[in-house]
Every structure is written in structure tokens, then in C-alpha cells.
Amino acid sequence: MPKALITGITGQDGAYLSEFLLGKGYEVVGLLRRSASSDVIGERLRWIGVIDHVRLVDGDLMDLSSLIRIMASEKPDEIYNLAAQSFVATSWQQPILTGQVTGMGAVNMLEATRIACPQARFYQASSSEMFGRIQAARQSETTPFYPRSPYAAAKLYAHWMTINYRESFGMHASSGILFNHESPLRGIEFVTRRITDGVARIKMGRATHLRLGNMSAQRDWGHARDYVRAMWLMLQQNVADDYVIATGETTSVKDFCDMAFTAAGLHAADHVQVDQALLRPAEVDILHGDPTKAMTKLGWKPQTTLSGMVGEMLEADLARLASNAAR
Ligand code: NDP
Ligand code: GDP
């Protein structure tokens, strides 16, 4: 039975990747950082139905000793480094922490792997945010980067360190440059979940308005379930490499919003208010990925449509509110 270690297992992608790997017969071990809220920390793993099938081990991306100890005792075949301070807006409020966790934390993982488990295959969660102020209309593996936030700069450091460990030490280390991917398990602070949760609240009479920031920003949104499959495919290749994972379609926040309100039988114009406080110090106006390499070399393609995903997220938020499980 192959063994996988996932950092960030309590996050959105960690839950979907656990489900996927368990389905493939893997033993799944997850890194869990200590929290005073241990009763809610496994909420996503519970929601997706895998909490009793994964093993959680104590550690933190900023504590190299914990990572070395885990690598030495677990000896995983595959390592998925998904842990990060992952919210762009927070990265301006906590730039140093973001650098430490999202940037240096990845290097801690690479070091622990090199020291204690060098044969393992390593996946780094890189991000389309690294393209920032885009240098080409469609972004591929060869498009130059232009990070526009402390988060993006930290991810870019981790990305290049992953490439350097591959080239310097011969490690099987790959980066997935993933464009935005969402699901019912997306953090509530990200715009898609903010919208579907807000629409569900309005539909159920618990709110009248939804406040949003820049409505004209455009993103290439896919479903997390499809994107974790790409992570696994990367680690099954003989040679490690970097891949853009995207749908190849881009949509504005306004259009996503209209889709969600329409799916609920409501009109966005009656409920949406633009809140200047939600604008960012610097914006990534548009991201539009070119996943040709992943489609050709990995045989990957997304299976969920945007409208299907909006419907799934809205249904889940309506169900959460109906059961009072949501705040
Ligand atoms: P989430 O924010 O949902 O999950 C982040 C995870 O990192 C959580 O499990 C969190 O644990 C963990 N974490 C944070 N700090 C530490 C730490 N110091 N030590 C150990 N664990 C820590 O992210 P997603 O699942 O959405 O994304 C997964 C990865 O992919 C992230 O690296 C993200 O930046 C990247 N990415 C995501 C994209 C997306 O659209 N979703 C696009 C491109 C890249 P806790 O639950 O304790 O907070
Ligand atoms: P990001 O691409 O990783 O920053 O993902 P987000 O979901 O946080 O943001 C996507 C885009 O939506 C960005 O351009 C934001 O400026 C824009 N946006 C507009 N309103 C909001 C909002 O209320 N919350 C968030 N998080 N983003 C918003």
C-alpha cells in the first residue's frame, strides 16, 4: 500500500486529495498543527467523510524538527505540500508570517525530505497568483512571473526552491501552478464561497445584501476535485516537472455573482453592494490559464463545468444553513 503525507490536510485541497488517494488505496497521513479549536479543525475531513480513514500527526511547517521527525518515522512514498497562509488579502496584513509559512515553510519541507526521506516524490502547491500582472494573454509554464502580493512573492520563492532542489539534488520534486479552484469546502473568505454563502443567506431570509470588492476582476475557476487529480498525476510521471492546471476559461467576479443569484432565482442587482474596504492595495486583474501541457503530457482535463460548480456550492451552503451547521 503506497503511503502519502499531506501538509494542509485540513484545508480544501487536503480534504479532496485525501478522498482521492484513499480511493486509490493509499495510506494517508496528514500533518496537523496544534489548535485550541481541535473540535472544529477536522470539519472539512468530516464533511467529505474521510476523518476516520486518515491518520493525523502533530507538526507545523515552521518547525523543521517536527517535519524531519515525521519524515524519518513515516517514510512516505509521496509528499504533497499544500500547507500555506493561502489568502492573498491577509498576506498584506501578515506579510512576514506569509513569507515564513508559504515561502520558507516549503523549504523546510524540502529540507526535511532531503535529509530524512530523499526518495519520496514531492509536490509543491504553486499558484497562478505568481503571474500577477500578466505578461501574456494566456499564462503557461513559460510565461514570466510578476507577483503582486506578499502571498504571490512567497509562492514564487517556494516554486523556484522546488525547481532548485530538483536540479541540485536530483529530487523528484514537481510544482503544480494551479489556477483558482473552488468547491463547497472553499474557505468562506474567498470570493466564490463568499458569494454562494451570501446568496444562500439572502435566499433563506437571513440577510438582505452581499458586500463585495472588485467586481471586474477575472479568474480561471475550476473545481478542487479535478485539480487534486492533477497533483497525483504529476507524481506518477517518471520525470518531475512543472505544470499549469487551469480550465482555459476566464470569468469575472460579476458574472460569477450573476450565475449564483440566478441559480437561486434572485437578481444580483437587488442585493450586491460594492464595499471599497474590500479593494486590495494591488490587484491581479485577470488570470487565464493555458493547460495544454497538462492535457497533453498528463492526460488531464477538468470534468466539472463552472455552472455545475456554482450549483454544487450553492446547494451545499443552503444545506449548511438549513441544518444550522454554518455560523
Ligand atoms: P486552505 O487555506 O484551505 O488550506 C491551507 C492549509 O494549510 C490548512 O490545512 C492549514 O491548516 C494549513 N497550514 C497553514 N499554516 C500552517 C502551518 N504553519 N503548519 C502546518 N499547516 C499549516 O488552502 P487550499 O486547500 O485552498 O489550497 C492548498 C494549497 O494550494 C495552498 O498552498 C494554496 O496556497 C495553494 N493554492 C490554492 C489555490 C486555490 O485556488 N485553492 C490556487 C493555487 C494554489 P489549519 O486548518 O490549521 O489552518
Ligand atoms: P485570489 O485570486 O487568490 O485572490 O482569490 P479570491 O477569491 O480571494 O479573489 C479573487 C478576486 O475576487 C480578486 O481579484 C479579488 O479582489 C476579487 N474580489 C471581489 N470581491 C471580493 C471579496 O469580497 N472577497 C474576496 N476574497 N475577493 C473579492
Side-chain angles (χ1 to χ4, degrees):
M1 185 189 269
K3 188 194 276 194
L5 172 71
I6 303 175
T7 73
I9 194 167
T10 54
Q12 167 188 261
D13 291 7
Y16 280 99
L17 182 61
S18 296
E19 180 190 47
F20 177 83
L21 293 175
L22 288 167
K24 291 250 170 238
Y26 278 70
E27 178 185 356
V28 175
V29 179
L31 184 83
L32 184 74
R33 59 174 171 160
R34 199 264 156 184
S35 165
S37 313
S38 54
D39 52 336
V40 293
I41 200 82
E43 194 186 327
R44 291 188 175 97
L45 296 169
R46 240 185 308 278
W47 188 91
I48 213 164
V50 301
I51 188 93
D52 296 328
H53 306 288
V54 298
R55 190 155 50 80
L56 301 174
V57 293
D58 234 38
D60 193 297
L61 230 57
M62 291 196 280
D63 184 303
L64 178 60
S65 68
S66 69
L67 304 180
I68 295 173
R69 176 174 47 75
I70 290 166
M71 297 292 184
S73 60
E74 297 292 343
K75 296 277 184 207
D77 301 294
E78 296 176 8
I79 297 163
Y80 296 86
N81 183 39
L82 310 184
Q85 191 303 96
S86 69
F87 189 40
V88 170
T90 291
S91 77
W92 278 287
Q93 306 308 323
Q94 300 182 33
I96 297 167
L97 176 120
T98 302
Q100 285 168 337
V101 179
T102 306
M104 197 58 81
V107 184
N108 284 340
M109 283 295 294
L110 287 162
E111 264 303 271
T113 304
R114 181 164 79 100
I115 291 167
C117 199
Q119 299 310 317
R121 295 185 171 196
F122 188 95
Y123 173 84
Q124 169 59 20
S126 287
S127 167
S128 57
E129 287 291 321
M130 301 188 308
F131 294 119
R133 180 178 277 175
I134 54 167
Q135 303 294 297
R138 298 281 300 274
Q139 300 89 55
S140 73
E141 296 78 6
T142 54
T143 305
F145 298 114
Y146 192 138
R148 293 270 283 167
S149 64
Y151 167 79
K155 278 288 182 193
L156 191 51
Y157 172 61
H159 181 73
W160 277 111
M161 287 302 275
T162 304
I163 294 170
N164 271 269
Y165 271 59
R166 179 167 78 221
E167 295 179 353
S168 307
F169 306 122
M171 279 171 52
H172 193 293
S174 296
S175 283
I177 307 172
L178 270 52
F179 282 61
N180 298 53
H181 45 282
E182 321 294 313
S183 75
L185 296 182
R186 184 60 143 150
I188 197 94
E189 65 275 31
F190 293 89
V191 75
T192 55
R193 231 349 258 304
R194 195 172 158 87
I195 291 170
T196 58
D197 175 71
V199 171
R201 282 173 194 280
I202 293 167
K203 182 72 182 171
M204 298 191 66
R206 297 203 193 177
T208 53
H209 286 88
L210 171 62
R211 288 182 300 110
L212 293 170
N214 179 8
M215 302 285 290
S216 60
Q218 288 173 252
R219 290 292 182 274
D220 182 329
W221 278 299
H223 196 299
R225 195 188 300 118
D226 287 333
Y227 286 40
V228 300
R229 193 172 67 253
M231 297 175 187
W232 176 79
L233 282 169
M234 285 177 218
L235 297 204
Q236 308 319 304
Q237 306 306 304
N238 288 333
V239 179
D241 205 346
D242 307 317
Y243 297 88
V244 159
I245 303 297
T247 66
E249 308 274 336
T250 191
T251 308
S252 68
V253 171
K254 182 180 180 309
D255 286 347
F256 188 102
C257 204
D258 286 341
M259 286 171 80
F261 274 96
T262 303
L266 300 166
H267 296 289
D270 298 336
H271 303 283
V272 174
Q273 294 173 343
V274 172
D275 183 345
Q276 301 294 319
L278 291 167
L279 301 179
R280 297 173 174 185
E283 182 59 284
V284 172
D285 298 318
I286 176 168
L287 292 172
H288 192 184
D290 173 2
T292 306
K293 180 176 170 184
M295 287 178 163
T296 315
K297 292 202 168 173
L298 303 177
W300 175 85
K301 66 172 198 256
Q303 288 170 357
T304 316
T305 61
L306 183 63
S307 64
M309 184 173 79
V310 171
E312 185 187 337
M313 292 175 69
L314 181 61
E315 284 301 312
D317 279 320
L318 287 166
R320 280 193 186 99
L321 287 170
S323 70
N324 277 325
R327 293 163 310 274

